Amino acid sequence: MATAARRPDMAPQEWEARQQLAACYRIFDHLGWSELIYNHITLRVPGEEDAFLINPFGLGYHEVTASNLVKIDIDGHVLDGSPYPVNRAGFTQHSVFHRHLPDAHCIIHTHTTAGMAVSACAEGLRPISFYAAAFIGHIAYHDFEGVTIRAEEGDRLIAHLGNRRVMMLRNHGTLVMASTLPEAFLKQWLLQRACEVQVAAGSAGTPVHIPPEVIAVHQRDLAGVQLPVGPGVPDFQSLVRVIDRIDKSWRD
């Protein structure tokens, strides 16, 4: 992803991470995945232990830029002098995963209609589509405990997640994480499509479940249809080009 001239007070690795995350927020807004000023996408700052970037609380996703993202540490202290507050629920939920999971460099939490609808169903995500088949056996579930502002819920979130990196927050929404932002974005896109298809199929008729042996083959072969530049990279870059044509202010 091409970058604009960085701020002189900032390491180039941080500026690149800020631009990538700002682009992601604008892409989410473009795709209709934003929720007023709520929900979060966080990204670790490269080369800085326990520091990550989060959206400024009070701004919509369409207002996020590389400069106004807030850098905080794992305990919620603002590290970059930002005048913006941070959503307490976002910090509580995301910080526990950033703290305990070294591979969780990017974390995405959404309240899309389809994602919330599937999270509210007893069956969770069902094996009824091309997209859902990629996730079967790889999704964790966590029961709703109210708005996530109590630190002790973090222990249960970690326990329920286990070695998986996609979670249905029951009656609440979805959570995905990955070692890179493009990979997390692709997981979110695939999960969103799976949820949308499930909601649509439920109104169309009786969904047909994909047999477990077919799911196993599908999951084995998925890597064979990806470009070699890394999971989600070409997908994410294609949408960066889209938002650039609309408005380049996210780069500032």
Side-chain angles (χ1 to χ4, degrees):
M1 185 176 73
T3 59
R6 69 175 179 88
R7 281 175 27 181
D9 60 335
M10 197 171 291
Q13 297 92 335
E14 179 179 339
W15 186 244
E16 183 177 358
R18 282 176 172 270
Q19 288 202 319
Q20 189 180 61
L21 184 56
C24 195
Y25 274 104
R26 295 295 185 97
I27 289 168
F28 271 47
D29 187 67
H30 175 71
L31 294 174
W33 295 348
S34 57
E35 186 89 346
L36 292 178
I37 60 171
Y38 303 101
N39 297 336
H40 316 280
I41 313 164
T42 57
L43 182 64
R44 277 204 180 105
V45 178
E48 295 191 36
E49 187 175 357
D50 294 336
F52 60 96
L53 301 167
I54 192 169
N55 52 315
F57 193 33
L59 299 186
Y61 283 19
H62 65 287
E63 298 174 291
V64 171
T65 68
S67 292
N68 67 29
L69 286 162
V70 184
K71 181 164 71 169
I72 59 176
D73 68 15
I74 211 72
D75 296 311
H77 303 118
V78 175
L79 302 175
D80 59 359
S82 173
Y84 292 100
V86 170
N87 186 311
R88 184 179 171 192
F91 162 74
T92 302
Q93 184 186 88
H94 287 234
S95 65
V96 72
F97 295 117
H98 283 303
R99 183 189 298 272
H100 294 289
L101 305 175
D103 59 316
H105 287 280
C106 181
I107 302 172
I108 297 171
H109 171 52
T110 63
H111 285 182
T112 67
T113 300
M116 292 188 75
V118 172
S119 78
C121 293
E123 301 89 348
L125 189 68
R126 300 167 66 186
I128 64 169
S129 72
F130 177 98
Y131 297 114
F135 291 100
I136 301 305
H138 299 283
I139 296 187
Y141 290 85
H142 175 72
D143 287 344
F144 184 58
E145 299 186 22
V147 63
T148 314
I149 59 172
R150 289 164 287 102
E152 31 70 44
E153 187 178 353
D155 293 337
R156 292 184 290 279
L157 283 163
I158 290 291
H160 293 156
L161 183 69
N163 63 357
R164 295 170 179 176
R165 294 297 179 263
V166 177
M167 177 178 273
M168 283 284 178
L169 301 167
R170 290 199 181 275
N171 311 102
H172 184 171
T174 60
L175 187 72
V176 305
M177 56 195 77
S179 59
T180 69
L181 186 149
E183 182 180 5
F185 169 79
L186 181 59
K187 283 185 181 181
Q188 168 62 32
W189 189 89
L190 293 169
L191 183 61
Q192 175 67 16
R193 292 290 291 129
C195 291
E196 289 171 348
V197 171
Q198 181 167 318
V199 171
S203 63
T206 303
V208 175
H209 280 212
I210 300 169
E213 61 273 18
V214 176
I215 288 175
V217 170
H218 180 70
Q219 292 182 356
R220 181 199 68 195
D221 292 346
L222 277 174
V225 296
Q226 294 184 2
L227 289 169
V229 291
V233 171
D235 313 78
F236 184 73
Q237 289 178 338
S238 72
L239 283 166
V240 169
R241 293 191 292 272
V242 171
I243 61 165
D244 251 348
R245 290 195 296 270
I246 299 169
D247 178 8
K248 289 185 171 65
S249 65
W250 60 270
R251 292 181 176 273
D252 299 333

